[in-house]
Amino acid sequence: MLQTPLPRPQTDEVDVPRLTQPLRRHALPLLSAALLAGALTYVLAARQAPVYQTMSSVVAVDNGDDSLVTEGLFAAPPLEPGVLQEALRDESVIEGIAGRVLASGLAPSQAQALAQAVRAQRDNTVFELVTVTPQGSRSNLYEVWGSAGTPAAAQVLVNASVDALQAWDQQRAQERIALARTSLARQLTALGRNEPDLEASDLRWDTFQATQARLLGQLARAEVLAPAAIATLNVVARAPEPDQASGASPLRRAALAALLTLFAASAAVLLFEAWRRRVYDERGLRDLGLPLLGQLPPLGAGVLQGSALPDSVGFLRVNVLSQLPEEGPRRLVVAGVQDPAGSGNVVTALAASLARAGQRVLIVDSQAPRTQGQGGPQEAPLPGAGAGSFEQAGSVPTRRVAEGVDLLPLGGGDPTHARATVERLSAGYDLTLIDTPPLLRRSDALLWGAGAAGLVLVLEAGASSAHEVERALQSAGLARVRVLGAVLSERPSSGGPRRLTGSQRPLAESGVQPGEVTAR
């Protein structure tokens, strides 16, 4: 009979320990990826040639009156924002920078290389070696930044760029003078065509002569004062020689790359785990409506021969017995979900604990004979498992593997042919434990569970997904198999025994009510 799953606790609080469980599980690959990224970044940054950067400041002076002549000086028109950066792409500016670089005190080879790099900017849409940025959206103060491979080259490049821009601005003023001279000459020519007749009035002649004299005077002044034309750009501060390379050091770049890689990889792990929905502890089982019967570390092969049992095995025994009905079959099916996940480990530990409590236990091994490497890293093979089959066992197929513990190896046979014999043999034991293949791979667990007291699912903590557990519960519900709960099997650690997480208390003390929890 299907039962209602345990209610899920509703809370808005962020469970930080649970959120960081995937990160702790993948700590080694995450740290390895971060260290690898940092090491590669450090090697690449150390191999890169250093880049030195310096800056000069210029100001665009507002000349006030925009008339043609202002106190005998001709001024260039004002500059709009962004004009200076575009002016760097002008052919005259590029040649001016290259020429000044070649005439500087740099070594000939270095000057030639820098001048060639400047001339190569002709084909670019943006002049990359030097940038001109205004301080503020409406500021007339500009910063001219440039970078090169040596401190001296950076200083020469920036100062040469400033001088070339000033020359370009001066040329603008000269062009304005040339336009003014052309305009005055055309006005004089047009005035000459309209010379009044001899019979014209004196007023008309006086006006004509005054206009002609004014235009001639302005033209003469333009000719004389042309060299005095002023530009709008003035240098505020020349570029100094930088004393250290720009940008972060290789060590700082490596640290930044390692941190970014760690953050990105951690985010990817969290997203993957959110999609995968792995089961780590009792809270994950509660979300699925399953009680936690116990958590077991990897056990050695000598458990049945008297070696010490961890305390968690005792809690497992108490919880399992509390779930069994008082009347009915005393057979319990133990199975993994998708992988073996240590079902033999659970059966062996439970049988050893029951035997030491004075009970007689029959272990039924219905899994196929194990080969080297099968069963997962935490699987403890059953004593004598796979040594025979039901058909070859004769009239007394069981064998004694420990005091109070007998083993019936079926070798992966069909459960329908063996159930009658197992039911007959179970009458002489206090409890029968049936170890079956994973539930989602074979139907043996469902066939055995149909005539048993219940089914115990064995999950590997952090490896089994909630989706797989839901499928297993759905299959058990359709087959009307009672699921008593789940056991989390811990993965062994190379550094020693792994500390168990979650509650190891009996169900009555942990607040989990015993019941028939199967499918949704």
Side-chain angles (χ1 to χ4, degrees), residues 117-438:
V118 171
R119 291 191 175 102
Q121 300 296 313
R122 292 193 184 99
D123 301 329
N124 295 344
T125 57
V126 178
F127 196 90
E128 298 177 350
L129 297 181
V130 177
T131 57
V132 182
T133 57
Q135 290 188 348
S137 58
R138 297 185 178 182
S139 175
N140 58 350
L141 183 63
Y142 295 86
E143 293 181 349
V144 183
W145 289 89
S147 57
T150 63
Q155 181 186 31
V156 168
L157 176 63
V158 173
N159 288 332
S161 300
V162 170
D163 294 341
L165 287 174
Q166 280 190 301
W168 169 81
D169 193 37
Q170 185 73 27
Q171 181 65 28
R172 291 173 59 241
Q174 296 290 341
E175 290 175 356
R176 193 175 190 185
I177 292 176
L179 291 176
R181 291 165 58 186
T182 302
S183 176
L184 291 173
R186 289 177 179 177
Q187 292 180 48
L188 284 173
T189 302
L191 184 65
R193 295 194 191 100
N194 297 322
E195 182 177 355
D197 298 334
L198 295 176
E199 294 83 7
S201 63
D202 293 340
L203 177 61
R204 184 175 180 183
W205 273 103
D206 291 341
T207 303
F208 173 80
Q209 291 175 354
T211 303
Q212 186 180 45
R214 179 176 58 82
L215 293 175
L216 288 173
Q218 290 182 351
L219 182 60
R221 293 177 63 186
E223 294 287 349
V224 173
L225 299 177
I230 60 174
T232 58
L233 286 181
N234 291 330
V235 178
V236 177
R238 306 291 290 182
E241 184 174 313
D243 55 357
Q244 61 181 0
S246 61
S249 63
L251 184 59
R252 182 176 298 179
R253 293 184 182 180
L256 181 60
L259 288 177
L260 292 178
T261 302
L262 182 60
F263 291 152
S266 300
V269 167
L270 292 177
L271 290 176
F272 176 77
E273 291 293 336
W275 171 78
R276 184 74 163 76
R277 294 176 59 203
R278 297 180 187 270
V279 178
Y280 286 92
D281 53 18
E282 182 179 359
R283 295 180 181 179
L285 292 175
R286 282 181 177 274
D287 293 340
L288 297 168
L290 274 176
L292 175 64
L293 300 177
Q295 290 182 256
L296 291 183
L299 301 177
V303 171
L304 291 174
Q305 281 68 43
S307 60
L309 291 174
D311 295 338
S312 57
V313 177
F315 289 118
L316 173 63
R317 174 173 56 85
V318 172
N319 291 334
V320 169
L321 293 179
S322 68
Q323 293 284 68
L324 294 178
E326 296 181 0
E327 301 293 337
R330 303 289 290 181
R331 294 184 298 275
L332 189 64
V333 179
V334 180
V337 177
Q338 184 69 36
D339 296 314
S343 60
N345 194 40
V346 174
V347 169
T348 303
L350 190 55
S353 180
L354 290 169
R356 296 181 189 184
Q359 300 190 25
R360 296 190 65 220
V361 182
L362 173 63
I363 298 177
V364 179
D365 183 15
S366 68
Q367 299 215 44
R370 295 168 174 82
T371 58
Q372 183 67 23
Q374 278 188 316
Q378 76 279 19
E379 185 72 52
L382 298 174
S389 64
F390 171 71
E391 292 77 9
Q392 300 171 348
S395 59
V396 184
T398 61
R399 66 187 60 167
R400 179 61 56 89
V401 294
E403 183 66 30
V405 180
D406 292 341
L407 172 69
L408 174 62
L410 299 181
D414 188 355
T416 57
H417 297 92
R419 279 179 54 180
T421 300
V422 171
E423 291 176 2
R424 176 175 55 84
L425 294 174
S426 298
Y429 296 91
D430 295 306
L431 186 63
T432 300
L433 303 177
I434 306 172
D435 183 18
T436 64

